[in-house]
Amino acid sequence: MTLYRATDAADTMNLAALLIAEYCHRTGMVLNTLASYLQVRQEHSRAAGPREAEPNEVAGMLGAPLPPADDETAQTWSSWGSGYAGASRAVR
């Protein structure tokens, strides 16, 4: 049920962002600027399922070791570190 509610909230926030974007477009915002504010390059469909980064995020939140991977990039370590730090703060 939590996952259902989280995706419902994400859809609602997406709708709100698109309504604000339409307002900005109608009031004269340049499309390239609008696209950058909408962060369209970061868009990821939930239908594609979890990406490779999600297991690393979960490991970081749980304070568990990173799952084995072929390519451990700085982004992976950064994600793990931020997840671990957030989980540590939440536990306190």
Side-chain angles (χ1 to χ4, degrees), residues 8-83:
D8 192 35
D11 289 341
T12 301
M13 291 304 298
N14 190 48
L15 176 61
L18 292 175
L19 289 172
I20 294 166
E22 178 58 22
Y23 171 79
C24 291
H25 178 64
R26 286 186 183 219
T27 58
M29 184 177 285
V30 178
L31 287 177
N32 286 340
T33 302
L34 187 58
S36 71
Y37 289 158
L38 285 173
Q39 303 177 47
V40 294
R41 292 183 183 158
Q42 296 178 18
E43 182 66 26
H44 173 70
S45 172
R46 291 190 307 265
R51 297 170 291 184
E52 291 181 25
E54 276 76 34
N56 298 326
E57 289 282 341
V58 171
M61 289 188 294
L62 298 176
L66 284 172
D70 295 333
D71 182 22
E72 295 184 23
T73 63
Q75 177 62 37
T76 298
W77 286 105
S78 174
S79 294
W80 184 86
S82 66

